[in-house]
């Protein structure tokens, strides 16, 4: 006798017990893979090849030599630099502290130049300092605005000084805090506050989904307050990134965090499990890369440079820089940016609350219809006693008509679907 072949088809329930689990895992792997692609495109697109684009710098001097040097640098840069001339060193320092320029080259003065006077007998601006003695070229920078930008300016003007055969003196007119020599501590503070904010979105939106939206919004406001306080403690007492202006930093941190939480909670109503990917795209991929914390927009391509003008991370980083290092110049515009993002978050919460209220009304109406159909179905199955009267209908004459029964069955099918 031949033994039965084991190669026959397996029962449907035993074909592959792990197939459903594998499909489930592969489906959920889509999110981290999209994160990988998005982070790669964002970070490499923003940071891979930094180079100046219309970087505003100045040549200090009112003579023809200063104008010739400025024009030469403009022509040779091919649009990388936007070189202007300023009359004296004090004006250059003022423009640096207003972040109108990011470097100023003070040309070397020779002994003969120091004694030259104008028609009115006044010493020329470019020879006023160190009159009677030779003065080497000097480059003025403001590292608090961006250490990488200051380095790019230094690389630009060092060859210019070398052609004059003199060493270049570097003067920092806006240095950073001693415990933050590169000035990038503010950027990493942004990272910490951002992670605390958008990670809380998943908790409040997921675990808090049973709560009404107004309570979730209150929890979000409280969470943003805690996150901002943590940020201030890290920036001040713990790491000494900021030596003064902690109240202003706290206010901007709270605005920034509250905006992220509001937008994230609002999006959770619509995106559900895709919320994490959505907030990472908004507040990591596009946010960190355009904040100016590593490279200012003058060293980035047009896309990230454009985002820098209105994105919330840029509002926070540049706002803190303006507040702490540049005497508040430009702070109002950055604060407005953070307030507008907070208003967008409030609007998202309001829209989500309205959408959830509409869903609840629809569900309640569907439940009421289902209850009515069920009650009608039960009533239809209970025979009512019929009075015995001549000409009256017997038990078979009682109940719904065929049309009514058809309508009832149609409603039951609709509710079930």
């Amino acid at each position: 006798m031949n033994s039965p072949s084991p190669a026959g088809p397996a029962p449907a329930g035993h074909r592959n017990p792990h197939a459903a689990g594998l499909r489930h895992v592969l489906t959920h792997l889509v999110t981290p893979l999209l994160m990988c692609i998005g982070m790669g495109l964002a970070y490499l697109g923003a940071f891979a090849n930094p180079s100046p684009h219309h970087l505003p710098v100045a040549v200090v001097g009112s003579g023809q030599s200063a104008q010739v040097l400025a024009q030469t640098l403009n022509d040779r840069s091919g649009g990388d630099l936007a070189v202007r001339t300023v009359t004296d060193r004090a004006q250059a320092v003022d423009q640096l502290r207003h972040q109108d320029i990011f470097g100023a080259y003070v040309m070397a003065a020779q002994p003969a130049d120091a004694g030259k006077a104008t028609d009115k007998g006044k010493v020329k601006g470019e020879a006023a300092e160190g009159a009677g003695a030779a003065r080497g070229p000097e480059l003025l920078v403001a590292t608090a605005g961006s250490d990488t930008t200051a380095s790019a300016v230094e690389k630009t003007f060092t060859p210019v000084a070398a052609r004059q055969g003199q060493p270049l003196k570097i003067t920092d007119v806006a240095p950073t805090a001693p415990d933050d020599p590169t000035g990038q501590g503010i950027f990493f503070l942004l990272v910490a506050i951002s992670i605390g904010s958008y990670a809380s979105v998943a908790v409040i939106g997921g675990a808090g989904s049973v709560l009404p939206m107004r309570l979730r919004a209150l929890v979000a406001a409280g969470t943003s307050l805690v996150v901002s306080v943590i940020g201030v403690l890290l920036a001040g007492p713990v790491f000494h990134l900021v030596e003064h202006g902690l109240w202003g930093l706290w206010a901007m941190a709270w605005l920034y965090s509250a905006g992220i939480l509001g937008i994230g909670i609002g999006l959770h109503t619509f995106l559900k499990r895709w919320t994490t990917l959505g907030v990472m795209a908004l507040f990591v991929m596009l946010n960190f890369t355009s904040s100016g914390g590593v490279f200012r927009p003058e060293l980035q391509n047009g896309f990230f440079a454009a985002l820098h003008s209105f994105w919330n991370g840029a509002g926070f980083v540049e706002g803190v820089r303006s507040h702490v290092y540049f005497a508040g110049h430009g702070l109002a515009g950055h604060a407005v940016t953070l307030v507008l993002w907070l208003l967008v978050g409030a609007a998202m919460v309001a829209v989500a609350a309205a959408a959830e209220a509409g869903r609840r009304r629809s569900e309640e109406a569907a439940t009421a219809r289902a209850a009515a159909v069920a009650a009608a179905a039960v009533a239809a199955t209970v025979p009512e006693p019929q009075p015995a009267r001549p000409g009256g209908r017997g038990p078979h004459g009682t109940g719904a008509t065929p049309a009514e029964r058809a309508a009832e069955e149609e409603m039951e099918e609709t509710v079930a679907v």
Side-chain angles (χ1 to χ4, degrees):
M1 268 181 83
N2 294 330
S3 60
S5 173
H14 298 280
R15 287 177 184 172
N16 191 344
H18 302 296
L22 181 61
R23 282 195 301 269
H24 183 73
V25 171
L26 293 177
T27 300
H28 282 75
L29 277 175
V30 172
T31 298
L33 293 177
L34 288 176
M35 289 179 182
C36 177
I37 294 171
M39 294 287 280
L41 291 174
Y43 273 77
L44 295 177
F47 298 151
N49 185 28
S51 58
H53 300 284
H54 304 289
L55 178 64
V57 294
V59 173
V60 179
S62 58
Q64 183 177 4
S65 58
Q67 295 176 0
V68 170
L69 177 59
Q71 187 60 49
T72 301
L73 290 172
N74 269 325
D75 294 340
R76 290 179 177 176
S77 71
D80 293 344
L81 302 176
V83 189
R84 67 184 75 173
T85 58
V86 296
T87 56
D88 55 37
R89 189 179 186 279
Q91 184 180 359
V93 171
D94 183 68
Q95 291 192 15
L96 279 166
R97 288 176 175 165
H98 283 75
Q99 295 189 284
D100 296 327
I101 59 174
F102 295 94
Y105 182 76
V106 184
M107 300 178 64
Q110 301 300 325
D113 297 332
K116 291 182 180 180
T118 61
D119 295 337
K120 295 183 180 180
K122 295 182 179 180
V123 178
K124 288 187 177 180
E126 62 182 305
E129 188 176 318
R135 172 173 50 78
E138 181 184 17
L139 179 63
L140 307 177
V141 295
T143 55
S146 173
D147 182 70
T148 53
T149 302
S151 298
V153 171
E154 184 177 346
K155 290 180 181 179
T156 298
F157 284 101
T158 297
V160 176
R163 285 194 292 269
Q164 296 179 352
Q166 293 180 316
L168 181 63
K169 176 185 176 183
I170 309 295
T171 302
D172 191 352
V173 302
T176 58
D179 290 330
D180 185 21
T182 65
Q184 294 185 3
I186 295 174
F187 170 73
F188 293 110
L189 177 64
L190 169 78
V191 173
I193 295 174
S194 301
I195 291 175
S197 301
Y198 78 73
S200 299
V201 167
V203 176
I204 299 173
S209 59
V210 296
L211 301 175
M213 180 58 76
R214 65 179 181 276
L215 287 182
R216 275 176 277 165
L218 288 175
V219 172
T223 303
S224 64
L225 176 62
V226 174
V227 169
S228 64
V229 170
I230 293 173
V232 169
L233 292 176
L234 293 174
V238 178
F239 291 106
H240 308 287
L241 304 176
V242 176
E243 296 181 313
H244 62 277
L246 288 176
W247 282 108
L249 187 150
W250 166 78
M252 285 182 277
W254 180 81
L255 288 172
Y256 174 75
S257 177
I260 291 177
L261 279 158
I263 292 172
I265 292 172
L267 287 176
H268 189 273
T269 299
F270 306 99
L271 299 182
K272 300 300 182 185
R273 61 180 289 259
W274 298 102
T275 303
T276 300
L277 180 61
V279 295
M280 282 196 69
L282 289 174
F283 304 120
V284 176
M285 299 174 191
L286 300 178
N287 188 27
F288 294 171
T289 51
S290 65
S291 67
V294 178
F295 297 114
R296 282 191 55 83
E298 293 83 7
L299 298 183
Q300 295 184 298
N301 59 45
F303 175 74
F304 293 99
L307 290 182
H308 181 85
S309 63
F310 65 92
W311 217 255
N312 60 342
F316 177 77
V317 169
E318 299 295 353
V320 173
R321 283 174 175 168
S322 298
H323 174 61
V324 175
Y325 295 120
F326 295 99
H329 296 302
L331 175 60
H334 303 310
V336 168
T337 298
L338 295 175
V339 170
L340 290 176
W341 277 82
L342 177 61
L343 293 177
V344 171
M348 285 295 303
V349 169
V351 171
E356 290 182 2
R359 290 176 185 173
R360 283 195 300 271
R361 287 193 295 269
S362 298
E363 291 170 358
E364 290 170 358
T367 302
R369 286 195 298 269
V373 169
V378 170
T381 59
V382 178
E384 297 181 3
Q386 299 297 321
R389 53 186 178 145
R393 292 189 297 176
H396 297 288
T398 308
T401 64
E404 291 172 341
R405 286 195 298 270
E408 184 177 306
E409 291 174 359
E410 181 180 355
M411 180 172 289
E412 286 179 353
E413 292 175 0
T414 302
V415 172
V417 171

